Amino acid sequence: MRLGVLDVGSNTVHLLVVDAHPGARPLPAHSHKVGLRLAELLDGEGAIGPEGIDRLVATVNEALQAAEDKGAESVLSFATSAVREATNADHVLSRVRDETGVDLQVLTGADEARLTFLAARRWFGWSAGRLLLLDIGGGSLEIAYGIDEDPDAAVSLPLGAGRLTHAWLPDDSPDPQDVRALRRHVRAEIARTVGEFTRFGTPDRVVATSKTFKQLSRIAGAARSGEGPYAPRGLSRKSLEDWVPRLAAMTSAERARLPGVSADRAPQILAGALVAEGAMDLLGVEELEVCPWALREGVILRRLDHLPVR
C-alpha cells in the first residue's frame, strides 16, 4: 500500500509518503515539508494564536493535496509537543478537524519516545542488544532504553531546540551568560531522569535520531546526506565539547555556512548542541550512532504491525 504520514511537529509540518506492506521496510516515495515553527508561535499564555492556527490549517490542507496527488491510500496524522502543550489545544484540534477533515492524534511524550525507539530497533535489529535512544525535536528531548521493541524506560523532557532557542537564546549573537544559564537549565532537567536509565546498566549501543543530531554529526565530519541512509554517521562527545563554544561565538548566518546546517535550523543548532552534549555527558555516552529512521517511521511500522499479512 502507499501510505502517508503527516507529522505536525514543533518545527515542521512534514508529510512522508511511503510504499509499504507488512514484513517489508517502508520505501520513501515523496516528502513534503513546511516550516511553521509552532513552538515559537505560542503567546504569553501558551496558546497558538489565530494566525498560527490559520497557517496550520492551510498547511494541513496543502499536505493532504500532496498525499492525494501521490496516490496515498490513507494518511496517518499526528501532532507532538507544540500542539500537545498549547493551552488552547482542543480549539486548535477542532479547527483542524472541521476545516480539513483531519483528526490529529496528539502523541504523549512517552508515545514519541516509544515509537522512535521502535524505529531505531527495527533499523539496527536485534543484534544491537540494549539500545539507548536520544531524540532532540523542536519542542522536546526524548530518551528511551531497552532490549526489546518496547523500551523499559522512556521519558520526554521540554528541551527541544526550537523551544529553548525561543525562550533562552532569542538574540542572533547570544550573550555568554545566557548560554551558560541555558547549559545549567538543560543539565538540571536531564539529571532528574538519569537514574531511570543508568539502573539498567551500560547500553550495548547508543543511537540518536532527529535533524538536530544529523546536523551536529555532519558538522563534526560525518557523511553527507547525499551519500545515502546506509553511510555510517556518528558523533562523539569530544566533538560536541569542541563545537559548542564555536557555535556560541557564531551568528546564525555563520552557522548556516557550516556543512549540513540549513538556514532555517541555524538559529537552533546551538541550543540543540547544548542538549546533546548534556545528555551524552550525564548519561556517560562517549560515542553515538545516528539512525536515519525516527518517529514518522515508528508510526508507519506500528500501523503495518496491525495489518493482516497477505
PDB file of all heavy atoms in Angstrom, residues 20 24 44 58 86 107 110 118 124 135 137 173 190 232 236 264 284 290:
ATOM      1  N   ALA A  20       4.649   0.589   1.368  1.00  0.00           N
ATOM      2  CA  ALA A  20       4.912  -0.319   2.480  1.00  0.00           C
ATOM      3  C   ALA A  20       3.912  -1.455   2.509  1.00  0.00           C
ATOM      4  O   ALA A  20       2.777  -1.338   2.030  1.00  0.00           O
ATOM      5  CB  ALA A  20       4.838   0.450   3.802  1.00  0.00           C
ATOM      6  N   ALA A  24       7.998  -5.763   5.337  1.00  0.00           N
ATOM      7  CA  ALA A  24       8.992  -5.095   4.485  1.00  0.00           C
ATOM      8  C   ALA A  24       9.299  -3.717   5.053  1.00  0.00           C
ATOM      9  O   ALA A  24       8.490  -3.135   5.776  1.00  0.00           O
ATOM     10  CB  ALA A  24       8.486  -4.965   3.051  1.00  0.00           C
ATOM     11  N   GLY A  44       1.898  34.617  25.208  1.00  0.00           N
ATOM     12  CA  GLY A  44       2.338  34.660  26.593  1.00  0.00           C
ATOM     13  C   GLY A  44       1.603  33.702  27.501  1.00  0.00           C
ATOM     14  O   GLY A  44       2.104  33.349  28.579  1.00  0.00           O
ATOM     15  N   ALA A  58      -4.072  25.721   6.771  1.00  0.00           N
ATOM     16  CA  ALA A  58      -3.696  25.808   5.357  1.00  0.00           C
ATOM     17  C   ALA A  58      -2.610  24.795   5.011  1.00  0.00           C
ATOM     18  O   ALA A  58      -2.639  24.172   3.936  1.00  0.00           O
ATOM     19  CB  ALA A  58      -3.215  27.224   5.035  1.00  0.00           C
ATOM     20  N   ALA A  86      -0.033  23.271  24.011  1.00  0.00           N
ATOM     21  CA  ALA A  86      -0.736  24.539  23.825  1.00  0.00           C
ATOM     22  C   ALA A  86      -1.953  24.590  24.751  1.00  0.00           C
ATOM     23  O   ALA A  86      -2.694  23.619  24.881  1.00  0.00           O
ATOM     24  CB  ALA A  86      -1.172  24.697  22.366  1.00  0.00           C
ATOM     25  N   LEU A 107       0.164  12.798  20.286  1.00  0.00           N
ATOM     26  CA  LEU A 107       1.008  11.821  20.965  1.00  0.00           C
ATOM     27  C   LEU A 107       1.495  12.373  22.297  1.00  0.00           C
ATOM     28  O   LEU A 107       1.855  13.551  22.402  1.00  0.00           O
ATOM     29  CB  LEU A 107       2.221  11.462  20.102  1.00  0.00           C
ATOM     30  CG  LEU A 107       1.950  10.845  18.729  1.00  0.00           C
ATOM     31  CD1 LEU A 107       3.269  10.550  18.027  1.00  0.00           C
ATOM     32  CD2 LEU A 107       1.127   9.577  18.845  1.00  0.00           C
ATOM     33  N   ALA A 110       5.765  10.201  26.100  1.00  0.00           N
ATOM     34  CA  ALA A 110       6.167   8.792  26.178  1.00  0.00           C
ATOM     35  C   ALA A 110       5.880   8.068  24.874  1.00  0.00           C
ATOM     36  O   ALA A 110       6.661   7.218  24.434  1.00  0.00           O
ATOM     37  CB  ALA A 110       5.454   8.108  27.342  1.00  0.00           C
ATOM     38  N   LEU A 118      11.076   2.221  18.676  1.00  0.00           N
ATOM     39  CA  LEU A 118      10.699   1.121  17.790  1.00  0.00           C
ATOM     40  C   LEU A 118      11.382   1.256  16.434  1.00  0.00           C
ATOM     41  O   LEU A 118      11.907   0.276  15.889  1.00  0.00           O
ATOM     42  CB  LEU A 118       9.177   1.098  17.609  1.00  0.00           C
ATOM     43  CG  LEU A 118       8.649   0.150  16.530  1.00  0.00           C
ATOM     44  CD1 LEU A 118       8.937  -1.303  16.864  1.00  0.00           C
ATOM     45  CD2 LEU A 118       7.140   0.375  16.325  1.00  0.00           C
ATOM     46  N   PHE A 124      18.305  -1.064  13.427  1.00  0.00           N
ATOM     47  CA  PHE A 124      19.563  -1.700  13.825  1.00  0.00           C
ATOM     48  C   PHE A 124      19.414  -3.198  14.082  1.00  0.00           C
ATOM     49  O   PHE A 124      20.405  -3.931  14.052  1.00  0.00           O
ATOM     50  CB  PHE A 124      20.131  -1.004  15.065  1.00  0.00           C
ATOM     51  CG  PHE A 124      20.721   0.347  14.780  1.00  0.00           C
ATOM     52  CD1 PHE A 124      20.054   1.504  15.147  1.00  0.00           C
ATOM     53  CD2 PHE A 124      21.936   0.467  14.121  1.00  0.00           C
ATOM     54  CE1 PHE A 124      20.590   2.755  14.877  1.00  0.00           C
ATOM     55  CE2 PHE A 124      22.483   1.712  13.854  1.00  0.00           C
ATOM     56  CZ  PHE A 124      21.804   2.852  14.224  1.00  0.00           C
ATOM     57  N   ASP A 135      16.631  11.621  21.158  1.00  0.00           N
ATOM     58  CA  ASP A 135      15.993  12.324  20.047  1.00  0.00           C
ATOM     59  C   ASP A 135      15.707  13.753  20.478  1.00  0.00           C
ATOM     60  O   ASP A 135      15.012  13.980  21.478  1.00  0.00           O
ATOM     61  CB  ASP A 135      14.697  11.616  19.646  1.00  0.00           C
ATOM     62  CG  ASP A 135      13.984  12.307  18.504  1.00  0.00           C
ATOM     63  OD1 ASP A 135      13.301  13.332  18.751  1.00  0.00           O
ATOM     64  OD2 ASP A 135      14.107  11.847  17.359  1.00  0.00           O
ATOM     65  N   GLY A 137      13.889  17.063  19.338  1.00  0.00           N
ATOM     66  CA  GLY A 137      12.965  17.690  18.416  1.00  0.00           C
ATOM     67  C   GLY A 137      12.933  19.194  18.616  1.00  0.00           C
ATOM     68  O   GLY A 137      13.768  19.775  19.308  1.00  0.00           O
ATOM     69  N   SER A 173      23.284  36.913  18.224  1.00  0.00           N
ATOM     70  CA  SER A 173      24.600  36.684  18.832  1.00  0.00           C
ATOM     71  C   SER A 173      24.386  36.532  20.342  1.00  0.00           C
ATOM     72  O   SER A 173      24.334  37.523  21.066  1.00  0.00           O
ATOM     73  CB  SER A 173      25.548  37.848  18.546  1.00  0.00           C
ATOM     74  OG  SER A 173      25.776  37.984  17.164  1.00  0.00           O
ATOM     75  N   ILE A 190      17.893  17.198  32.707  1.00  0.00           N
ATOM     76  CA  ILE A 190      18.294  15.838  32.340  1.00  0.00           C
ATOM     77  C   ILE A 190      18.701  15.037  33.565  1.00  0.00           C
ATOM     78  O   ILE A 190      18.386  13.847  33.692  1.00  0.00           O
ATOM     79  CB  ILE A 190      19.439  15.872  31.309  1.00  0.00           C
ATOM     80  CG1 ILE A 190      18.956  16.511  30.006  1.00  0.00           C
ATOM     81  CG2 ILE A 190      19.969  14.463  31.030  1.00  0.00           C
ATOM     82  CD1 ILE A 190      20.066  16.775  28.993  1.00  0.00           C
ATOM     83  N   PRO A 232      27.591   5.150   7.386  1.00  0.00           N
ATOM     84  CA  PRO A 232      27.651   5.286   8.846  1.00  0.00           C
ATOM     85  C   PRO A 232      27.861   6.734   9.267  1.00  0.00           C
ATOM     86  O   PRO A 232      28.661   7.461   8.663  1.00  0.00           O
ATOM     87  CB  PRO A 232      28.851   4.408   9.233  1.00  0.00           C
ATOM     88  CG  PRO A 232      29.684   4.327   7.992  1.00  0.00           C
ATOM     89  CD  PRO A 232      28.728   4.377   6.835  1.00  0.00           C
ATOM     90  N   SER A 236      30.741  12.112  18.515  1.00  0.00           N
ATOM     91  CA  SER A 236      31.406  11.892  19.800  1.00  0.00           C
ATOM     92  C   SER A 236      31.158  13.076  20.727  1.00  0.00           C
ATOM     93  O   SER A 236      30.944  14.210  20.280  1.00  0.00           O
ATOM     94  CB  SER A 236      32.917  11.711  19.601  1.00  0.00           C
ATOM     95  OG  SER A 236      33.524  12.926  19.217  1.00  0.00           O
ATOM     96  N   ASP A 264      17.217  27.683   8.014  1.00  0.00           N
ATOM     97  CA  ASP A 264      16.103  27.753   8.948  1.00  0.00           C
ATOM     98  C   ASP A 264      16.405  27.079  10.282  1.00  0.00           C
ATOM     99  O   ASP A 264      15.802  27.394  11.294  1.00  0.00           O
ATOM    100  CB  ASP A 264      14.843  27.140   8.316  1.00  0.00           C
ATOM    101  CG  ASP A 264      15.000  25.669   8.021  1.00  0.00           C
ATOM    102  OD1 ASP A 264      16.099  25.254   7.663  1.00  0.00           O
ATOM    103  OD2 ASP A 264      13.995  24.930   8.155  1.00  0.00           O
ATOM    104  N   GLY A 284      26.746   9.315  30.387  1.00  0.00           N
ATOM    105  CA  GLY A 284      28.010   8.596  30.229  1.00  0.00           C
ATOM    106  C   GLY A 284      28.260   8.079  28.827  1.00  0.00           C
ATOM    107  O   GLY A 284      28.868   7.019  28.652  1.00  0.00           O
ATOM    108  N   VAL A 290      24.050   7.775  14.478  1.00  0.00           N
ATOM    109  CA  VAL A 290      22.848   8.468  14.026  1.00  0.00           C
ATOM    110  C   VAL A 290      21.993   7.508  13.205  1.00  0.00           C
ATOM    111  O   VAL A 290      22.480   6.880  12.266  1.00  0.00           O
ATOM    112  CB  VAL A 290      23.202   9.713  13.192  1.00  0.00           C
ATOM    113  CG1 VAL A 290      21.933  10.381  12.665  1.00  0.00           C
ATOM    114  CG2 VAL A 290      24.006  10.702  14.040  1.00  0.00           C
TER     115      VAL A 290
END
